[in-house]
Amino acid sequence: MPFNILVLACLAYVIFLFLVAFLVERRAAQGEAGWLRSPLVYTLSLSIYCSAWTFYGAVGYAARSGLEFLTIYLGPSLVFVGWWWVLRKLVRIGRQQHVTSIADLISSRYGKSNLLGVIVTVIAVVAATPYIALQLQSVTLSFGVFATAASEGLTPPDKDSTAIWVAAGLALFTILFGTRKLDANEQHTGIVTAIAVEAVVKLVAFLAVGVFVVWGLAGGPGDIVARINASPIADWQLQPGRWVGLMALSAAAVICLPRMFQVLVVENADERHLATASWAFPLYLMGMSLFVVPIAVVGLALLPAGSNPDLFVLTLPLSQGRGGLAMLAFLGGFSSATSMVIVAAIALATMVSNHVVMPLWLHLRPAHAVSGDVRRIVLRARRLSIAGVLALGYAYFAVSGGSAALAAIGLISFVGVAQILPPMLGGLFWRGSTRVGATLGLCLGFAVWAYTLFLPSFGPDAVIPAQVLAEGPLGIGWLRPQALFGVTGMDPLLHAMFWSLVLNTAAFTFGSILTFPSPMERMQGAAFVNVFEADQTGPRGWAQGRAEPEALLVMAQRILGDEAAQSLFEGAARGQGKVGYLPDATPKFVEDLERRLAGSVGAATSHAMISQLVGRARVSVEDLMAVANETAQIKEYSTRLEAQQDELTRTARALREANEKLTQLSVQKDAFLSQISHELRTPMTSIRAFSEILMEADLPPEMVVNYARIIHDEAIRLTRLLDDLLDLSVLENGSVQLNLGLASLPEMIDKALRTAGNTRPERVFAVQRDSAAEAIFLHTDADRLTQVFINLISNARKYCGAERPELRIAVRQKGGRVTVDFIDNGAGIAKEAQALVFEKFARLTDETRAGGAGLGLAICREVMANLGGTITYLPGQGGAAFRVTVPLRLEKAA
Amino acid sequence: MRPSRTPLFLARRSYRVRRLRDFARLLPVLGTFLVLLPVLWAPAATSAPDTAPDGIYLFVVWAGLVVAAALMARGLGSEANKTETETGAGAAAEGED
C-alpha cells in the first residue's frame, strides 16, 4: 500500500466529511433538516463512545484479558436499556434548562455556581487530555503500520509530525464546523451528521474485517469457537472485582464523559429519539464487539509473535494481502479517532469558554457585557479553547511518548470523569444535595484520582517519586498512592476507582447533609428533581421591572444575533399583547431570556450578565416564601381559588337578580307613565271641553255656574293627583322628613275616623273599637300614620258594599311592634287582586271614581316603609282587612 | 400535599402503559443480574476452557436485552414526551422533601 495513496484517501475522506457537514448545515439553515434529526442519526452520533480505543484497542484488550473488554460495552448497554431511570430525566432537564455541557448542568443544578462549573471543567479537561492523546497515538500508529509497508512514493514523516498534522487538521475541522455560529441550543447539525456518517464507516469497516476473519481466514463460527478454546485467550480467568467494577465504571462514564453528554443531551433534538437509542445503541455496541475475540484469536495465531495486538484490525488484512480491506479498516479507525476528538473538543471548548473565559472576561471588563460584541468574544474563546484542548492532547502524546497500552489510558480517563457521577445523580434525584457537598465531593474525588491513578500512570519518578510510590509520602505507609489506607490486595485501577468514588460520595453526602442550601440552589434543585411534574414553573429569579427592555434587547442581540434576538423579543411582546419589539421585563420574560442566553454562554455566565442589567435581586420575596413553605402556599392557593369561585358565583347571581329587577322596573315605569298620562288627560279633557262651552257668549247663568264648578272640581282632582304623585315620589326616594314624637293611638284613630267621615257622609258605619287595647303611646310620626289610617277607613267607606257596613278596628301589641287591623264586612278583595292593591293606579272597580287616582294604598305602603312598619292585606277575615304594623318606638333613621 | 387527582383503578390501556413502565425500570436490573452471573461461575470447577461458551452466553443475553428494549421503546416512545404527573407513583417516589 503506497503511503501517498493512503494520505490521498485520508484527505478525500476528510473533504467528503466537510461536504456532508457543509450541505447539512445549509439545509438546516433553510429549515429542511427533516430526517437529519432522526432517531437514527441521534443513535449513530452516540457511537462516538466507540473511539479509536474501541476500534483498535478492544482487540488488544481481548488478546490480553479475554472477555473482560466486554464490560466496557455492557455497562453502557445497561444504562441505555434502563433509559427510563436516568437518561430520560437527564435529557428532559437538559432541554428544559438549555444545558450546554456537563459542567453547565452541575453548575446550574447547584444554584448556578460558577465555581462548580470551573471544577467540572478542570476535571473534564484533565481527564480528556490523555484520551485525546490516545486518539492521536492510534492514528499515528495506524499510519506507522502502512509506513513500514511503504516502499515507494512519499516518505512517511516520523510519528511526531504525523501527530501534529492530525491534531492541526482536526482543530481546523472542529473550529470550522463547531464554532461557526453561536446556536441558541448549542446544537451542531452539520457536525452531528458527519459523525453519524463516520459511525457507519467504522461499523462497516469493523464488521468487514470481522466477516473476513471468521469466514475468510477461519472456517466459520464453529471453527472460531474451537480456535478460541484452543488459543491463549481461553486461559483467561474472570476476575469478579474487575468484572463488576469495570462495568460500573463504563456505565458511569457513558453519562459523564463530556463528549457523550454533548451528543446525548445537548445535541438531542427530540426526547423520543432516546426511546430508539435505548435499543439501537446497545445493538451498535454489540455489533462493534461481536468480532473482537475472533480477530484477536486469529491474529494471535497467524501473526508473528510480538506484534502489537492493538493493531490486529489493520495488520491482519495487510498480512493477507487485502489492501482494500486494510484501507477500509484504516478509515474506520480514522473515523473513530476523528469523531471522538471533534466532539470532545467542542464539548470541552464550550465548557472552557463558558465557565472559565467568559466569567473571567466579565469580571475584568463588566461594562462590556452590555456594550461589547459578546458573540465575537465567545466564538473566539471557543476557537482558542478547541486549539488549546488539541494542543494539550498533543503535548501529552509527545511527553508520554505514546508507549502505554491504549486501554490503560482510556480507563484512567474513565475513572476521572466518573467523579462527576455522584453530584450529578444526587442533583437529579436528591433535593437535599447542596453546592458545598458537591464541591467537596468533586475536589476530594479528583484529588484522590490524581494521586492514586493519574499521576502514578506517568510511571515511577515521572511525577511521583518512586520512593513515595513504594513507601508513601514521608514514609507514611497508609498513604501509599496505590495502597491507600493499607488496602494492598487490589488492582491499582479498582483501588483508585474504589477510594475516589467512596470518598467523593461520602464528602458529597455529608457535606450536603450538614450544610444549608441557598434559595437559588433550592429552587434549581426542585426544578431538576421534579422536572416531570406538569405544573413545574421553575424559579423566578428576577424582580419585576428592574431592567430596561431595550438594554436587554441590546444584550440579547450581542449574544444571539440580531435576527434571533428580535424575533424572540417580538414573540414575547406579542405574548404580552403588545405591539413592537419591546415586551415588559416581567420576571417570566427575563427568566426565559436567561435560559435562552444560557443555551449560548452557559447558565452561570448568562445569569451573571442578566444580573448586571437587572440588579442583584436574585430571588424574589415570593420565591423565598415558596421555598419556606410550599405546602402552605399550595393550600392557600387552593382556598383562594375556592373563595374566588364562590365570589364569582355570588356575583353572577346578584347580577342576574339585578338584571331581572331592572327589566321589571323598566316595565313598571312604562306602565306608570302611560297610567299617569291617562289620569292627567281625563280631567284635562273635561276642563277643556267645558271651558270651550263657557266661551260661547249666550249661555244661561246657571249653566255657567254649573260648568264652572265642574271645571273647578276637575282642577281640584288634578291638584290632588299631582299632590299624591309628589308625595309618592318623596316617600319613594326616602327623602321624606319625618316629624317624630310621642302620640296616642286612640287619638290618631279618632282623628282618622273624623276626617274619613267626609267620604260618602251619607253612609252610616258601625265602628267597633277596643279602647283598652288601644291605650298605647307610640313614638312615631303621628300625622303620617293618621294619613294611612284615614286612607284605610275611607277605602272601607267607599268600597264596602254591605247593607249595614261595619268596620272593626283591632289593636294588638306584640314585642316591640303594634298591629292595627282594619276589617270591614264587605265582599273583600279577590285573591288574585290582593297582590295588586298596593301598586300605583291599581283600581279594582270603576264604579266609584270620586276617590283619587288609585294612589292611596301605594302611598300608604311607602309611608309605612318610612315609618319602619308594614301594611299588608289580611285575607280570611270575612271582608276586606288591612293590617298595619308599626314599631312601638321608631328611632330616627341614621 | 398534592390533591389526589389520580384515580385508584385504571382502564385497560393505561394499566398496560403503567406495567410497561414498570418493566422499563426492571429491565436494567434484570440485565445487570444476567451479565453479572458469570462472576459466580468464575472459579471454573471443570478444566475445560469456557471462554467461548461464556462469550456466547453474554452475547445472547445482550441480544435479548436489545430485543426487549426495542419492543418496549415502541410503547414508551410516545410516552417519553409526556410529563409524569399522571403516573403518580414515579413522581411521588422522586419528589420527596
Side-chain angles (χ1 to χ4, degrees), chain A residues 596-617:
Chain A
R596 279 294 291 269
L597 297 186
S600 290
V601 292
T605 307
S606 140
H607 193 75
M609 292 179 84
I610 289 212
S611 68
Q612 286 193 344
L613 287 181
V614 183
R616 290 278 160 189

Side-chain angles (χ1 to χ4, degrees), chain A residues 67 70 73 77 81-82 84-85 88 92 229 234 237 240 243 247 271-272 275 279 282 286 289-290 529-530 532 534 631, chain B residues 1 21 25 27-28 31 35 39 42 51-52 54-55 58-59 62 66 69-70 73 77 80-85 94-95 97:
Chain A
L67 289 179
L70 278 177
Y73 308 98
S77 294
V81 162
W84 200 260
W85 283 106
R88 192 173 66 108
R92 171 68 65 91
N229 284 338
Q237 284 295 324
W243 186 255
M247 217 175 279
E271 280 175 42
R272 274 171 297 185
W279 60 269
M286 201 169 93
S289 39
L290 195 55
V529 174
N530 301 335
F532 286 117
T631 320
Chain B
M1 286 302 282
R21 286 184 195 147
R25 293 197 176 90
L27 192 59
V35 297
V39 170
T51 299
D54 278 7
L58 285 171
F59 275 103
W62 205 340
V66 168
N81 269 356
K82 290 182 192 160
T83 54
E84 212 176 73
T85 37
E94 290 158 5
D97 273 42

Side-chain angles (χ1 to χ4, degrees), chain A residues 402-459:
Chain A
S403 57
L406 296 180
I409 302 184
L411 287 176
I412 290 168
S413 174
F414 273 22
V415 179
V417 291
Q419 303 308 321
I420 306 172
L421 191 71
M424 183 156 105
L425 285 188
L428 291 190
F429 293 101
W430 183 32
R431 278 179 62 180
S433 49
T434 68
R435 194 184 65 213
V436 177
T439 313
L440 285 178
L442 280 174
C443 289
L444 191 60
F446 181 60
V448 171
W449 169 73
Y451 182 64
T452 58
L453 191 62
F454 185 58
L455 298 181
S457 78
F458 291 98

Side-chain angles (χ1 to χ4, degrees), chain A residues 672-716:
Chain A
F672 179 70
L673 277 177
S674 74
Q675 275 285 350
I676 202 139
S677 36
H678 176 75
E679 292 294 332
L680 288 172
R681 200 165 161 237
T682 321
M684 281 309 253
T685 314
S686 41
I687 288 172
R688 215 178 76 194
F690 284 111
S691 43
E692 268 168 19
I693 295 173
L694 281 181
M695 278 188 276
E696 315 245 314
D698 52 351
L699 276 178
E702 60 271 17
M703 274 181 83
V704 172
V705 172
N706 197 10
Y707 289 162
R709 191 167 44 242
I710 290 174
I711 291 173
H712 182 245
D713 283 350
E714 291 295 339
I716 286 175

Side-chain angles (χ1 to χ4, degrees), chain A residues 744-760:
Chain A
S744 146
L745 185 61
E747 267 179 36
M748 284 189 282
I749 296 176
D750 285 349
K751 191 179 168 191
L753 282 170
R754 260 198 317 279
T755 315
N758 296 334
T759 317
R760 296 183 72 179

Side-chain angles (χ1 to χ4, degrees), chain A residues 140-161:
Chain A
T140 314
L141 281 181
S142 60
F143 266 114
V145 167
F146 286 95
T148 51
S151 50
E152 67 229 70
L154 282 172
T155 326
D158 63 351
K159 68 175 187 181
D160 271 7
S161 52

